[in-house]
Amino acid sequence: MIDIVAGGSASDSAADALIVGSGPDRSYDTIGVWVAEQLGDWLDAYLDDADFGGKPGQIAVVPGGETPYRTIVFAGLGDAPDAEMVRQAAGSSGRAVRRAVTAATSLHLVPTPGAAQAAVEGFLLGQYRFDRHLSDPKPARTESLTLIGADDAATAAAHRGRIAASAVAMARDLVNESAVNKAPAEMARIAGQMADRVGLRIKVWEEDEIRDGGLGGLWGVSLGAATPPRLVELWHEPEGAEAFLAIVGKGIVFDSGGLSLKPADGMETMKTDMAGAAAVFGAMQAIAELKLPVRVLGITPLTENMPGGAATRPGDVLEARNGKTIEVLNTDAEGRLVLADGLSLAVEYQPDLVVDMATLTGACKVALGDKIAGLFGTVDGADQVQAAAEAAGERVWPLPLPADYRKKIDSDVADMKNTGPRYGGAINAALLLKEFVGDVPWAHLDIAGPARASETEHYLLKGGTGFGVRTMVALAASLGEA
Ligand code: BES
Ligand code: MN
Ligand code: ZN
């Protein structure tokens, strides 16, 4: 794993690559000013030729000449950059220098709260690749990142950034992995390895426990699959912790739609339908490594949604863990069925707040596009998650839970049905989830859009993004402070 080093000054550090930020009209920090001076007059003309003006998203790579750096990367920050702009600039730069063995930067000096953590997160996430199935992988060669002139606070923040970035990378790896390699039992095994390494307690519910324990939603969805379901509980229980957070992640390792089969193109990305569960695993890993002073429970119901001969049929009624019944009219609305059990179980432990993350509805992508998650919940629950997402640089937007829409999921034969009208599909799904959280403050993130990036940009690589990990870590941190 890469070393994060606090370095002295730009002139007495040395590295293969130096990354410096640039504001509009190529205004630099002190390190950038020094480097530009060393490089000489040609630099401005060169950057003019490249049309580099320091706008967000722009980078310019120039040779380091006589400086102690072989390559200099100027990364655009725009004016008044916030931490997310630093993260993005660091991400683009990290992608540009993946083959540099040593790197140095001054991006952590951008005068905005969270800059040091964001610089490290962006750099590391930009260097991420999912290459385990390539015959000729080209892994990032970077072994160290020096933060020039970093003080103790910046160094500590950088350390947190590294922990966050590896948690996000872990979630991305799981999301990007083929479904054939991540059956529920395999997911549970991976969670167990991680738990042992970072010191989390783990409890895995096997298929007979799921059936006998009344987890009828998870059980019902699993019936069409050839591999058995699991439910993983991960527990972070530091001594003396007062606040108690539960996070639940949808873990459909492949969503074929079940008997309400999806069309072929709708299945292409459905190995990523466990991104909520992956975000729970990643967040739990980081929360343990950061030793956050808050009790946290992570729950992931894990199953495949397949149309086997024993599959749940449209018209079947399932009974969830809390005793409520759901008529399944569309087996492709399976996420809410497994979350019904995950949430029921979570609230049995009486947390102060329960948050679920799920690639739940295409309708949420229609509403908000593919970069913003839908945020639902009780007022107190949703507010806390919104604040955490803002702090973490993840984009969420609140959507309503109108009480008069509840009747749209009334069933003729059960307490509710698992589909509603096409319009407001993300809301209909969230209203069903609400039936399973009791009186516990709750928030629901529909991450169907941002769990996956359709294009590579800044610190995101095409594919799994690890969305939700950083927000959950920020949320746990804020609860620990209170
Ligand atoms: N996993 C899908 C939602 C999804 C769709 C996530 C596209 C990411 C990209 C979910 O299980 C699903 O199939 N939802 C249905 C619900 C409908 C049948 C009520 C949907 O959104 O079409
Ligand atoms: Mn589905
Ligand atoms: Zn699904």
Side-chain angles (χ1 to χ4, degrees):
M1 200 206 267
I2 191 168
D3 269 337
I4 308 291
V5 193
S9 67
S11 52
D12 59 35
S13 302
D16 295 343
L18 171 68
I19 299 159
V20 293
S22 168
D25 305 321
R26 304 199 286 264
S27 50
Y28 308 122
D29 62 21
T30 51
I31 288 150
V33 168
W34 177 82
V35 163
E37 230 171 67
Q38 301 297 305
L39 291 176
D41 290 343
W42 62 270
L43 179 66
D44 264 317
Y46 181 96
L47 292 177
D48 269 341
D49 292 348
D51 199 18
F52 178 84
K55 292 208 186 73
Q58 287 187 318
I59 62 167
V61 182
V62 309
E66 301 299 308
T67 75
Y69 306 95
R70 187 162 60 224
T71 304
I72 318 272
V73 180
F74 292 97
L77 290 166
D79 38 32
D82 59 5
E84 175 62 10
M85 202 44 70
V86 172
R87 196 178 285 107
Q88 294 187 8
S92 303
S93 308
R95 283 200 282 122
V97 299
R98 289 182 79 246
R99 306 297 277 173
V101 177
T102 57
T105 187
S106 63
L107 281 173
H108 59 98
L109 298 176
V110 173
T112 187
Q117 179 169 344
V120 172
E121 284 176 359
F123 181 86
L124 295 177
L125 290 175
Q127 292 206 326
Y128 171 87
R129 292 295 181 280
F130 183 70
D131 56 10
R132 62 169 71 139
H133 298 300
L134 298 181
S135 59
D136 185 20
K138 299 207 168 43
R141 279 209 289 236
T142 312
E143 289 170 3
S144 70
L145 175 65
T146 299
L147 305 184
I148 295 169
D151 59 11
D152 287 352
T155 309
H159 174 69
R160 292 196 296 275
R162 184 171 67 169
I163 288 176
S166 29
V168 172
M170 184 256 225
R172 287 182 181 181
D173 277 345
L174 285 168
V175 171
N176 288 330
E177 187 53 87
S178 318
V180 68
N181 295 326
K182 57 182 179 192
E186 176 63 10
M187 289 280 287
R189 194 190 63 77
I190 294 167
Q193 273 189 337
M194 180 274 285
D196 287 350
R197 193 165 50 73
V198 303
L200 293 165
R201 182 164 68 79
I202 181 167
K203 178 183 169 192
V204 177
W205 295 56
E206 312 233 315
E207 64 263 39
D208 46 346
E209 296 165 298
I210 289 167
R211 187 192 56 225
D212 301 344
L215 304 181
L218 176 57
W219 181 248
V221 173
S222 77
L223 290 173
T227 53
R230 292 289 184 269
L231 182 138
V232 174
E233 286 179 28
L234 291 165
W235 286 90
H236 171 67
E237 297 170 299
E239 229 165 280
E242 281 170 22
F244 178 16
L245 169 68
I247 55 183
V248 181
K250 171 177 172 181
I252 301 297
V253 299
F254 184 74
D255 183 9
S256 72
L259 286 174
S260 312
L261 198 65
K262 286 183 185 294
D265 59 350
M267 270 185 236
E268 279 179 13
T269 59
M270 281 303 129
K271 68 174 184 185
T272 67
D273 209 20
M274 35 57 75
V280 168
F281 289 174
M284 293 305 294
Q285 173 179 303
I287 287 165
E289 288 184 333
L290 292 165
K291 300 188 171 42
L292 296 182
V294 52
R295 209 170 146 221
V296 188
L297 162 63
I299 289 188
T300 62
L302 300 162
T303 181
E304 219 175 347
N305 184 26
M306 294 290 269
T312 289
R313 310 150 195 80
D316 286 358
V317 174
L318 306 177
E319 182 179 336
R321 169 82 176 183
N322 74 351
K324 293 193 184 183
T325 57
I326 312 170
E327 182 188 12
V328 179
L329 287 178
N330 188 322
T331 63
D332 196 12
E334 83 298 336
R336 61 201 82 182
L337 303 175
V338 308
L339 288 171
D341 285 329
L343 287 167
S344 296
L345 191 63
V347 300
E348 282 175 28
Y349 293 106
Q350 298 183 293
D352 301 315
L353 172 62
V354 61
V355 182
D356 73 79
M357 297 180 285
T359 47
L360 202 62
T361 65
C364 200
K365 287 177 82 168
V366 173
L368 298 174
D370 66 357
K371 295 184 181 183
I372 303 175
L375 171 63
F376 299 83
T378 56
V379 174
D380 43 354
D383 282 354
Q384 293 183 73
V385 171
Q386 185 159 20
E390 267 160 32
E394 293 189 311
R395 294 160 82 186
V396 306
W397 196 259
L399 292 170
L401 287 169
D404 59 325
Y405 283 25
R406 170 59 181 80
K407 59 178 173 291
K408 295 178 193 290
I409 57 168
D410 283 350
S411 160
D412 297 338
V413 298
D415 296 335
M416 68 202 84
K417 59 182 180 183
N418 79 329
T419 55
R422 194 160 74 88
Y423 297 125
I427 295 173
N428 303 331
L431 282 168
L432 186 143
L433 299 183
K434 186 171 180 276
E435 298 289 319
F436 299 90
V437 296
D439 300 326
V440 176
W442 160 67
H444 157 55
L445 282 174
D446 192 330
I447 61 171
R452 219 186 145 274
S454 53
E455 230 66 69
T456 294
E457 60 174 348
H458 50 78
Y459 60 84
L460 294 179
L461 281 294
K462 186 178 179 190
T465 58
F467 188 96
V469 171
R470 286 170 15 227
T471 296
M472 290 305 105
V473 174
L475 178 64
S478 76
L479 291 171
E481 278 161 16

